[in-house]
Structures are given as structure tokens and as C-alpha cells.
Amino acid sequence: ETHNSLLKHLPQAPTIVEIGCGEGHFVRGLAEARNGQGRFVGFDPNASPETGQGVEFYARLFDPLVDMADYAPDAIVIRHVLEHLTEPAALLDQLAWGAAMLGKPCWLFAEMPCIDRVFESDRLADFFYEHAAHFTTQSFRALMERVGEVVKLAHGYDGEVVYGMVKLGVSGMMQERAAAAK
């Protein structure tokens, strides 16, 4: 269902970039769902540089302000990465600015653990040591609204994760301020 949620917004042969792809299971699933029609790219410093099923892998970090222009994606996927960053908004802001420069729509599919149940159950195990950031549904929504139009926000895995579909963009006011500052 997650694949279809994203793919219904994209052209028949999309360019999709997954940041923090791991071994590439999700991006491969997207490629399979489109029968390899399109360009499917995974970035992860720990990824194997192997290619297969029409998927390209790069064992490095994604640089939004450079790579958005180079790959011109129709969609960016970030699953279970943002919670590991000390400043997740910084990455998302750069993606929004990169998308604004593309001259075409660019979608973001983001997914991360949701800590709403911590407050209901006192389940402290949700505060994993490797997670620098934690999000409730409300704080996740605020983060997504910061970088574009939230088209869908929902939960998966019985409420354990929250995900969103966002049409990336930068408000006209922010673009005017940037132009004036330049």
C-alpha cells in the first residue's frame, strides 16, 4: 500500500531517490511496481554499490542542494532516517529548496517511529539511544508542513510509525526573502 500511495502521484516512468536506503528493499519494490520503468536511486553510506533491477546505489550521503539538481527526482523517500539526525529540519529544508529549483513537482515520502504511545503507556523503550530526534504525530506534521503541502499523514504498523506524503516546496514569501537577501 505504501508503494502505491507514492506512485499514484508520479509519472509512469519516475525518477525516485531514497535517502538512507539501507540494502534497498523499498526502492527495489518501487522499481518492481513500475516494472523498471523510470530511474530508481538509493543513497546510503553503508549501501553496497551493486546495481540490480534497474536500481542505482551510491555509498555516500545525499547532498540535497547538489543532488536534487543532478538527479531531478519526481520523489524523495526518507524512511527511518530523520530520527537519527540531530537537525532533521535542516535536511528537509534543503530538500524543499532543491525541489523549488527543479521547476517541476517533487514529492517527499517520509516515515519514522511515532512516540504517541509513550504518553499513553509510559513505554520508555521508545527512546532508543541511537535516535537523536523523536516525533509525535503533531510534531511530525509540523515538520512536514515546514517543507511543503502535506497531502497525506497517516500511521502504520498499528500506530508505531507515522508517515507523510508532501508536495515539496518553499513558500513564495520565503523565496522573496531569499531573493532580497541575495
Side-chain angles (χ1 to χ4, degrees), residues 47-94:
S48 168
E50 298 175 13
T51 59
Q53 298 175 351
V55 179
E56 303 168 38
F57 291 107
Y58 297 96
R60 66 176 180 84
L61 295 174
F62 185 80
D63 183 345
L65 297 177
V66 173
D67 292 331
M68 290 292 282
D70 289 348
Y71 292 90
D74 296 296
I76 298 288
V77 174
I78 304 175
R79 298 176 62 246
H80 300 275
V81 171
L82 295 173
E83 65 271 20
H84 296 277
L85 304 178
T86 55
E87 294 185 41
L91 172 64
L92 294 176
D93 286 348
Q94 290 180 20

Side-chain angles (χ1 to χ4, degrees), residues 132-145:
H134 300 277
F135 291 86
T136 62
T137 302
Q138 186 177 356
S139 63
F140 179 77
R141 176 182 298 281
L143 182 65
M144 295 299 107
E145 288 175 343

